[in-house]
Amino acid sequence: MIMTTERNLPPVLPQNANVAEENELEFEQLLDGGKIDDALALMDTRGAECMDVFTREYLVENHEINSREPKITQRRDGTIKGVTERARLPVPYQVYINEVAVVFLFGQPVQWQQQSDGTDEAFEKFLEVMKDARFDAKIRQCKRLAGAETECALLFRTYKDEDDKSPRLQLRILAASKHDEIYTRFDEYENLVAFAWGYHVKTKGNQTQRRVNVYTKADVYECAKGEDGGWQVTRTPNKAGKIPVILFRQEKEWAGVERLIKREEAIASGTADANDYFADPIMIMAADVAQSLPDKDEKAKTLLTSDTEGGVNNAAKYLTWDNAPQSKQQEITWLQEQILSKSFTPDIKLDT
């Protein structure tokens, strides 16, 4: 028997530099050859996963509790008496947790610092450009989308003003919920080596055309799909020398408390159903009492009862239902505390 230890195992080396260069060369050749679909196949995309999180969990109208089936009531002989709708009470914890995270991270604008000497004019111009591009609002929106669907991107576009030729900056937020396609390609060291943005535009005749912009450090490929299924590719040098995008990736902000949220929604909905059945008092009375009830318009009401079974005191009484059992209320309180604490979310209220 041969035993191996970690010392006996060969070291795991990063991918050979020549192999990595060959892969990138193959990727660029696909882009240059107009084989955009093949090039995109070499990139990663998480659009379907992001949309699933956004639509199924973040949007409150799609919570599982909304699919509760109505209750079918039957008569004693088994025939259907009617259909009673049951309470469906989704709780928007996901929106609250995500919004608190945005407030704590970017509630105050990002503070830029000048760390070089003799660059006052350039720094002032930088602050002006970021203000004109509404960077603070854009970064908050990116954090909100990333927390809601786990991925989004902030795309930078630089251009010059036609009047004074001053540099300008435009920021575009990309997300699956905004009908954007995000493709990424990383090397073995997790460096972003290519980024692609897929979108659709309206053309003549009210037709829709698919377009893809692919960004690398060296070039920008603007690709438009023709009616014949082929791609028209325009390649221009990337003067910035960097991929002009900030990629946001994270777990959903409410990760780990999904079942707790569903449990509270189920309890709240079930309690609402019980309130519909038992919250209003029900009168219980003997048959002879029911026949001698005074009219509601009579000012001096008198009710005469006979000595019915159980005595006069039991001839007429209300059937009342106490409030939700203490154990149920305790569980709801516990769930609320666990949901907020385990998602690291403070309980923000006006009185606290």
Side-chain angles (χ1 to χ4, degrees):
M1 181 176 63
I2 300 177
M3 299 181 61
T4 60
T5 64
E6 292 183 357
R7 293 184 179 181
N8 301 130
L9 297 175
V12 179
L13 299 176
Q15 188 179 21
N16 185 279
N18 293 331
V19 176
E21 292 178 0
E22 291 177 359
N23 291 337
E24 293 309 313
L25 180 60
E26 177 188 2
F27 180 71
E28 294 178 2
Q29 289 176 346
L30 292 174
L31 294 174
D32 294 334
K35 299 180 179 180
I36 306 305
D37 294 319
D38 294 336
L40 294 178
L42 298 179
M43 307 181 74
D44 297 323
T45 182
R46 302 172 63 247
E49 177 184 345
C50 294
M51 281 303 299
D52 180 66
V53 172
F54 180 77
T55 58
R56 184 170 52 86
E57 298 187 51
Y58 190 76
L59 297 181
V60 67
E61 60 267 23
N62 294 333
H63 282 193
E64 184 178 331
I65 194 66
N66 290 317
S67 62
R68 292 186 76 196
E69 296 293 337
K71 182 179 180 180
I72 300 177
T73 57
Q74 296 180 341
R75 299 183 179 90
R76 293 182 178 180
D77 58 2
T79 59
I80 296 177
K81 181 179 179 181
V83 178
T84 303
E85 290 293 334
R86 295 198 294 176
R88 303 176 181 90
L89 301 178
V91 184
Y93 270 113
Q94 293 86 346
V95 178
Y96 175 79
I97 293 171
N98 191 42
E99 198 63 30
V100 170
V102 174
V103 170
F104 270 77
L105 189 59
F106 292 117
Q108 295 293 331
V110 176
Q111 299 296 319
W112 303 99
Q113 294 183 351
Q114 183 182 187
Q115 297 182 342
S116 56
D117 298 327
T119 57
D120 293 346
E121 183 177 355
F123 185 68
E124 290 297 328
K125 186 62 179 179
F126 167 78
L127 295 179
E128 177 185 342
V129 170
M130 298 301 282
K131 182 179 180 180
D132 292 342
R134 301 190 299 277
F135 179 83
D136 293 329
K138 299 289 186 179
I139 203 72
R140 283 194 295 268
Q141 188 176 353
C142 284
K143 179 63 187 77
R144 184 176 292 110
L145 287 170
E149 52 193 278
T150 73
E151 181 185 67
C152 72
L154 184 61
L155 182 64
F156 290 72
R157 171 180 173 263
T158 57
Y159 64 98
K160 289 186 176 181
D161 190 276
E162 295 181 357
D163 297 332
D164 57 8
K165 303 299 182 181
S166 299
R168 290 288 183 266
L169 176 65
Q170 186 176 14
L171 304 178
R172 171 66 186 261
I173 299 175
L174 311 179
S177 60
K178 293 167 60 68
H179 308 290
D180 297 306
E181 302 172 15
I182 296 177
Y183 298 87
T184 56
R185 182 174 170 84
F186 292 87
D187 63 13
E188 64 272 22
Y189 297 103
E190 298 185 356
N191 296 313
L192 184 66
V193 296
F195 178 86
W197 166 38
Y199 56 100
H200 293 79
V201 298
K202 291 287 186 180
T203 59
K204 293 181 180 180
N206 202 26
Q207 298 295 321
T208 301
Q209 183 184 47
R210 186 189 179 199
R211 295 185 180 180
V212 176
N213 294 351
V214 184
Y215 302 87
T216 66
K217 293 181 179 180
D219 300 289
V220 177
Y221 299 84
E222 297 180 351
C223 314
K225 197 163 191 176
E227 297 180 357
D228 58 352
W231 289 88
Q232 298 177 355
V233 181
T234 302
R235 176 181 178 180
T236 57
N238 186 355
K239 296 181 180 180
K242 295 181 179 293
I243 299 176
V245 69
I246 298 178
L247 183 65
F248 296 79
R249 277 186 178 175
Q250 65 166 90
E251 285 189 343
K252 52 190 177 184
E253 284 293 344
W254 60 93
V257 297
E258 299 92 338
R259 292 189 178 183
L260 299 178
I261 295 175
K262 291 181 180 180
R263 175 64 177 172
E264 183 176 337
E265 291 176 336
I267 292 177
S269 299
T271 302
D273 289 334
N275 287 335
D276 290 339
Y277 283 110
F278 303 110
D280 294 329
I282 302 173
M283 175 66 75
I284 300 178
M285 64 184 67
D288 59 336
V289 174
Q291 295 176 359
S292 60
L293 282 176
D295 294 334
K296 66 177 182 179
D297 295 333
E298 295 182 13
K299 295 185 179 180
K301 296 183 174 66
T302 302
L303 176 63
L304 300 176
T305 65
S306 61
D307 189 9
T308 58
E309 182 180 354
V312 176
N313 292 335
N314 292 326
K317 63 180 180 179
Y318 278 106
L319 173 64
T320 60
W321 175 67
D322 294 333
N323 292 332
Q326 184 178 3
S327 61
K328 182 180 292 186
Q329 182 59 46
Q330 289 176 346
E331 182 179 359
I332 292 177
T333 302
W334 181 84
L335 286 170
Q336 293 173 345
E337 293 176 353
Q338 294 299 312
I339 290 171
L340 296 180
S341 64
K342 298 307 181 288
S343 61
F344 304 96
T345 304
D347 186 9
I348 300 177
K349 298 178 180 178
L350 292 178
D351 57 348
T352 58

